Amino acid sequence: MTPDGLTSQQVRERLARDGENTLPGQAPRTLAIIAADVVREPMFMLLMAAGGIYLSMGEPREALALLGFIAVIIVVTVLQAARTERALDALRELSAPPATVLRDGQWLRVPSRGLVVGDVIELSEGMRVPADARLHDAHECALDESLLTGESVPVTKAAGDEVMAGTLMVGGQAHATVRATGRHTALGGIGASLGTLEAAASPLTRQLGKMTRTLAVAGGALSGLLALMVWLGGETWQQAVLAGLTLAMGVLPQEFPVILTVFLALGARRLAAHGVLVRRLPALSTLGQVDVLCVDKTGTLTENRMQLARLWVDGETFDTAGDTPLPEPFHRVLEYAVLASEETPLDPMERAFHRYANAQLAGSEHLHPGWQLSWEYALSPELPAMSHGWQDGNAGREIAAKGAPEAVAELCHLDAAHKQRVAQAARAMAADGLRVLGVARARWTDDTPPAIQHDFDFEWLGLAGLADRMKAGVPAAVAECARAGVRVVMISGDHPETARAIAREAGIAGAEVITGSQFGALDEAGRARALARCSVFARVSPLAKLSIVRALQGAGHVVAMTGDGVNDAPALKAADVGLAMGARGTDVAREAAAMTLSDDSFTSIVGALSQARRMNANLAAALLYTFAVHVPIVVLSLAAVLFGVPPLLTPLCIAVLEILIDPACSVAFEADHGHADPLAAPPARHALPGGADIAAALAAGLAVALTAGGVYALALAQLATPAARATAFATLLLASVLLIGALREQGLAALPKAARWVMLCGAVVPLPLLAFAPLSAAFGFAWPPPSMLLLALTGALASLPLARAARTLVRFAARHSASASPK
């Protein structure tokens, strides 16, 4: 290592030699792998089985045509899957955590995959160690090595110690030199690749899987019954099996997983373009159902850029605004506030103390750059105060303490009257929205520090109030959440009065504030009552944050949680949707959360809520379309057997419909913005459509089936079977395209451009099937006369209002039944 770290040339050479700093993971899905997965889908296996039946019946032309369309479907599906893979790759690229590295004498932020052996990196509290490294300086450094060892107790590290990739910095700061990267690290050696980990199935995925299995079982039973009926009716076993396969393809909902994957991947990529990175795709759907949003104040509602605003000493107050020099009586409280802070602080409050002291006390005896830090007592849930012991060059040591005013007052053993004056002053400052800290000093003459801070004889010095400005746009975003039926709950570690002032400024409803200790002392019933009436929680520990989130979930709420610090991670992970701050957030918070706000903007949450609700609505519409468009296939396949007429649909015909259905759902519906404001109503409890909506979609599909069946009957009365079949199939194909409009609330109005192209292609592309003799013969078609083509067009156009009327009628009946049922 050189004083300037590595040079750019050295980095390029070592990157070429050792490769990127990435762990061995799942091989990328190539087009060949995607195609192999597609071929194994049940729908394609049914199509290939049908091709085999045609060959056994001595009809190679039909078999080849069917296999040709199988190839077309595979190409379409593979291209669609490749598009999804590109979206996922883009998300993985965005999610690569950055590292701070010294190169060419400058500190830079680079993707961690670009680290090489010999790089000098900076480690700080809350980040994940990006590579195996050796510390060459460390300040209060502690790591969570549970990923490698299973031991959850943090391990203290000093200069010269090794740190391993994947471990978490839970305290302190350090600089280290990279010793190994990628597969050469300890984590890479045991094959612990995050890319191979599979998240548990989400409620949406489980519900969709259950629905798919139910339909598959029902379709299998119905197909077997139809095949038996055809065989008992005197047809050959090949004709019977072909009829059963045709019906199975009509019932099997193979589009469901494709639609879900495409919607989630493209929806996540759309959110990424707006500053919201989705790390776990199913969380995007869950976000649309959120009805409670828990927010951490610091860094989420406020800028997390503290400024020293006010000092209080012995009843006297000094406001730091303006250019007035700091009066002498306030020098000591500022002096010891700096001494109770880190020498190179990361905490915004400590930076504010250093910044103001350097401006006001420079050159005075109140700054001590030559003193050596000897001991430190950290904050704890039991005592929210910290102390530093400094060697001042004399026989003893100076002890500086800062923390919650009540905790520091307790350390100073103040009498009741003095405690009351301090508490009143702290409340007055907190009521103005200030973060208030007490400051104290002590003297210690022994070389060995005491076990606890209470063993020092502290002298009370005063109070310091720090201001953290509200982020621009937060009140408007909170109002939008309220309009959307999303309750905002603020969870803060601040004084209750500070929390109340910030909540009031942000527009969070309710004046009551409950502290974490008060909430923890309540029983289950008391917590439920507190959560129902209170939206502001103060003096909350990380464990209390977690209990608040779980209590809200226990009350039946879908909870999102925002945060940026290490202490937010448990609650972020437990929430239904964790939203981490990306720019200032720690790696621990980002990894615990399902989503990350890359711009740290609370207002981005409102946009994410809107996008998630729109995606859920479009996903439900796509699934309803899938239900509806399968109804004509099932009904017409059964009707041909029941009424003893030539079958309208063959496996080849269904293959054409399959080419239409997936693009119609994944392109037309996914791109649909609609007219309704997604935030104008409370969140839906479920992402998938309900029973009433499914019934309405089935009714719309039945209307299409009846229309196509009616056209088929009229055509059979006047034409030979091939021409009649072509007429009815053209009707069904066009009506299936128009069904998109029947299932939209706005009908065909304001269709997105993608949907218009899908509908146009659906209307034009199939025409060669009817006009080109070699191809039409494989379908069993013949070109119908112009009058029949007009009948097909008329029938298709008529299906749109009929399908819409059927859908409206069923929905009206469902609402009437629901309103009439006893509560």
Side-chain angles (χ1 to χ4, degrees):
M1 185 194 74
T2 67
D4 290 335
L6 298 179
T7 65
S8 299
Q9 179 62 31
Q10 289 175 310
V11 170
R12 285 193 293 270
E13 292 172 354
R14 298 184 187 194
L15 197 59
R17 181 191 68 192
D18 300 331
E20 290 191 338
N21 180 35
T22 55
L23 295 173
Q26 184 178 20
R29 276 165 50 92
T30 63
L31 289 179
I33 294 174
I34 295 172
D37 291 339
V38 169
V39 171
R40 287 194 293 267
E41 288 291 325
M43 173 59 67
F44 299 108
M45 298 177 82
L46 289 175
L47 286 169
M48 287 187 284
I53 294 293
Y54 274 125
L55 285 175
S56 70
M57 295 170 61
E59 298 181 3
R61 183 174 56 185
E62 286 76 3
L64 290 175
L66 182 59
L67 294 176
F69 270 90
I70 291 175
V72 172
I73 295 175
I74 290 175
V75 169
V76 171
T77 308
V78 166
L79 291 177
Q80 195 172 67
R83 184 183 181 190
T84 300
E85 284 293 314
R86 286 195 298 271
L88 293 174
D89 287 341
L91 294 176
R92 284 190 284 266
E93 181 74 15
L94 286 170
S95 65
T100 303
V101 60
L102 183 64
R103 289 179 180 170
D104 296 322
Q106 295 183 340
W107 288 104
L108 306 172
R109 293 280 282 177
V110 301
S112 59
R113 66 176 180 275
L115 292 179
V116 298
V117 173
D119 265 329
V120 177
I121 57 175
E122 183 179 73
L123 305 175
S124 59
E125 179 180 351
M127 72 174 292
R128 187 172 289 280
V129 178
D132 287 1
R134 176 172 294 162
L135 302 179
H136 56 79
D137 64 65
H139 178 62
E140 300 173 0
C141 185
L143 281 92
D144 175 3
E145 298 182 337
S146 59
L147 181 65
L148 293 174
T149 66
E151 176 56 57
S152 59
V153 177
V155 180
T156 302
K157 298 287 184 178
D161 289 343
E162 297 280 344
V163 294
M164 303 300 174
T167 57
L168 298 176
M169 287 281 293
V170 295
Q173 306 91 37
H175 293 96
T177 301
V178 174
R179 306 284 289 177
T181 60
R183 65 180 67 251
H184 304 293
T185 63
L187 186 60
I190 62 175
S193 172
L194 294 176
T196 63
L197 297 179
E198 292 291 338
S202 69
L204 172 64
T205 306
R206 290 196 298 269
Q207 188 178 355
L208 195 59
K210 182 179 178 181
M211 185 183 296
T212 301
R213 288 190 297 271
T214 300
L215 289 173
V217 170
L222 198 60
S223 300
L225 179 61
L226 179 65
L228 181 62
M229 290 173 59
V230 172
W231 184 65
L232 292 176
E235 297 290 345
T236 64
W237 69 267
Q238 292 101 330
Q239 291 288 356
V241 172
L242 197 59
L245 289 175
T246 302
L247 183 60
M249 287 188 286
V251 176
L252 187 67
Q254 62 91 21
E255 299 90 355
F256 283 3
V258 176
I259 293 169
L260 179 62
T261 302
V262 170
F263 268 66
L264 292 178
L266 297 182
R269 189 171 186 182
R270 183 174 288 109
L271 279 186
H274 290 83
V276 181
L277 173 62
V278 183
R279 298 185 68 248
R280 291 189 278 278
L281 291 180
L284 178 57
S285 175
T286 307
L287 181 63
Q289 303 168 54
V290 163
D291 61 346
V292 175
L293 175 60
C294 296
V295 297
D296 178 65
K297 178 189 77 68
T298 305
T300 303
L301 298 178
T302 61
E303 294 180 347
N304 198 20
R305 284 187 285 194
M306 288 286 187
Q307 292 182 344
L308 184 61
R310 189 178 303 168
L311 296 171
W312 181 89
V313 175
D314 293 332
E316 298 296 324
T317 303
F318 177 76
D319 289 322
T320 63
D323 299 327
T324 305
L326 182 67
E328 180 64 34
F330 299 93
H331 283 192
R332 280 214 310 166
V333 66
L334 179 59
E335 172 188 357
Y336 280 87
V338 171
L339 290 173
S341 303
E342 301 292 345
E343 294 178 273
T344 307
L346 296 176
D347 183 85
M349 292 185 296
E350 295 185 346
R351 287 183 174 181
F353 285 135
H354 276 266
R355 190 164 52 246
Y356 191 72
N358 289 334
Q360 294 289 333
L361 303 179
S364 72
E365 72 279 8
H366 296 289
L367 293 184
H368 310 284
W371 286 12
Q372 298 295 317
L373 182 65
S374 302
W375 323 309
E376 180 172 2
Y377 297 84
L379 290 164
S380 68
E382 297 77 22
L383 183 64
M386 63 182 295
S387 298
H388 282 175
W390 296 88
Q391 177 64 53
D392 60 2
N394 300 318
R397 289 173 173 81
E398 286 289 327
I399 314 300
K402 70 175 178 13
E406 60 270 25
V408 177
E410 189 66 31
L411 287 177
C412 295
H413 306 292
L414 301 181
D415 58 42
H418 198 170
K419 281 185 180 179
Q420 185 176 6
R421 289 198 302 275
V422 168
Q424 288 175 345
R427 282 195 297 270
M429 295 169 72
D432 291 335
L434 302 182
R435 177 75 178 268
V436 186
L437 297 178
V439 182
R441 67 176 293 269
R443 183 79 180 166
W444 187 257
T445 57
D446 293 344
D447 291 335
T448 304
I452 58 175
Q453 297 181 71
H454 275 287
D455 289 344
F456 292 112
D457 185 16
F458 277 108
E459 170 194 353
W460 174 266
L461 295 180
L463 296 171
L466 299 107
D468 188 8
R469 294 191 182 94
M470 181 75 62
K471 287 183 176 180
V474 165
V478 171
E480 278 290 278
C481 288
R483 186 175 72 88
V486 177
R487 175 187 169 200
V488 178
V489 174
M490 189 180 86
I491 304 176
S492 172
D494 283 335
H495 188 281
E497 291 300 327
T498 304
R500 179 181 286 110
I502 295 296
R504 184 170 57 245
E505 185 180 355
I508 297 175
E512 183 176 0
V513 179
I514 295 178
T515 65
S517 58
Q518 290 171 336
F519 184 79
L522 298 174
D523 58 18
E524 187 174 346
R527 290 186 177 190
R529 289 192 296 271
L531 290 170
R533 70 176 188 271
C534 179
S535 294
V536 183
F537 295 84
R539 287 283 189 257
V540 178
S541 67
L543 187 60
K545 287 183 181 182
L546 181 60
S547 66
I548 291 170
V549 169
R550 286 180 170 164
L552 286 165
Q553 291 171 321
H557 296 288
V558 180
V559 182
M561 170 78 192
T562 72
D564 62 353
V566 175
N567 63 336
D568 297 322
L572 287 170
K573 190 171 184 179
D576 296 289
V577 181
L579 295 156
M581 298 295 149
R584 285 194 174 89
T586 61
D587 287 354
V588 179
R590 285 193 290 267
E591 291 188 19
M595 299 183 182
T596 299
L597 306 178
S598 61
D599 58 0
D600 280 10
S601 174
F602 180 73
T603 57
S604 296
I605 297 175
V606 176
L609 283 171
S610 179
Q611 290 280 356
R613 290 190 183 183
R614 185 187 69 81
M615 190 211 74
N616 280 349
N618 289 347
L619 175 60
L623 296 177
L624 289 174
Y625 175 77
T626 303
F627 277 117
V629 83
H630 278 255
V631 171
I633 300 173
V634 175
V635 170
L636 293 173
S637 297
L638 290 173
V641 175
L642 294 176
F643 291 104
V645 298
L648 168 60
L649 296 174
T650 64
L652 198 54
C653 296
I654 295 177
V656 174
L657 291 174
E658 286 296 323
I659 294 176
L660 171 68
I661 292 172
D662 279 349
C665 293
S666 60
V667 177
F669 284 101
E670 198 279 333
D672 190 1
H673 292 276
H675 285 174
D677 180 0
L679 301 182
R685 298 299 298 171
H686 301 286
L688 295 184
D693 289 329
I694 292 176
L698 295 178
L702 183 59
V704 172
L706 294 176
T707 303
V711 169
Y712 190 37
L714 290 174
L716 280 175
Q718 303 177 48
L719 302 172
T721 298
R725 182 182 286 128
T727 302
F729 182 74
T731 304
L732 177 60
L733 195 59
L734 295 174
S736 296
V737 173
L738 293 174
L739 189 58
I740 294 174
L743 295 180
R744 295 180 77 249
E745 293 300 329
Q746 298 81 23
L748 294 175
L751 274 170
K753 185 177 180 180
R756 292 198 298 269
W757 276 107
V758 167
M759 296 179 71
L760 179 62
C761 291
V764 173
V765 170
L767 292 180
L769 300 180
L770 308 180
F772 185 56
L775 193 55
S776 63
F779 281 80
F781 293 159
W783 183 255
S787 60
M788 289 295 103
L789 290 176
L790 182 60
L791 174 65
L793 179 60
T794 303
L797 293 175
S799 71
L800 178 59
L802 289 175
R804 193 162 184 82
R807 173 175 176 265
T808 302
L809 182 62
V810 171
R811 294 180 71 179
F812 173 79
R815 285 195 296 268
H816 179 73
S817 175
S819 61
S821 62
K823 302 292 189 233

